[in-house]
Amino acid sequence: QGLYSSVVCPGLVMSNMTYRILPVFLWKLLMPIMWLVSGSPAWFWAVTHFTASDVWLFKQKPEYLDSLVKYHSCTSGLGKCYVEPRKMDVDEDIAEKFYQKLLELEEQ
């Protein structure tokens, strides 16, 4: 039907949910390191870097993308954003059965 679905990993995004993963004092220790790695303040890093894979994916033709790949937002040591495709560990037979089941449920 012309619909496509892709999996995107935003990488490390500084948000209220992220702060719950580690104690606050650890984040305070990590923030200067993340600033040095990215070359920009953490608030800027969060906004620009987590959208890299989303924006990249939006610009692609969906029919040419691998449906078994997850696209990760990454940052080089010099702060340059890039997208890295990583193959997902998915059993293609199970995925096909799941898809067929979804089609059956949709008809109901």
Side-chain angles (χ1 to χ4, degrees):
Q1 296 185 9
L3 296 176
Y4 296 90
S5 176
S6 297
V7 180
V8 179
C9 177
L12 180 60
V13 178
M14 302 310 296
S15 69
N16 290 342
M17 292 182 351
T18 309
Y19 283 118
R20 294 182 190 145
I21 296 171
L22 295 173
V24 174
F25 77 91
L26 276 177
W27 283 118
K28 292 194 183 284
L29 292 173
L30 291 173
M31 292 305 278
I33 295 167
M34 292 182 350
W35 188 337
L36 287 172
V37 169
S38 70
S40 56
W43 62 267
F44 178 80
W45 190 57
V47 172
T48 59
H49 290 58
F50 85 90
T51 59
S53 55
D54 295 330
V55 172
W56 179 87
L57 193 63
F58 178 76
K59 292 180 176 182
Q60 306 307 306
K61 291 192 179 279
E63 57 270 18
Y64 297 126
L65 296 172
D66 185 346
S67 61
L68 297 176
V69 166
K70 183 191 299 184
Y71 299 95
H72 289 255
S73 292
C74 299
T75 308
S76 71
L78 299 174
K80 180 165 173 47
C81 299
Y82 65 97
V83 175
E84 181 178 278
R86 297 180 192 163
K87 196 80 164 165
M88 292 187 290
D89 186 19
V90 176
D91 183 306
E92 291 185 49
D93 292 332
I94 292 174
E96 182 61 32
K97 288 177 186 174
F98 180 68
Y99 177 67
Q100 294 303 324
K101 185 64 175 174
L102 285 174
L103 291 177
E104 289 174 20
L105 289 171
E106 184 182 46
E107 288 177 8
Q108 293 176 5

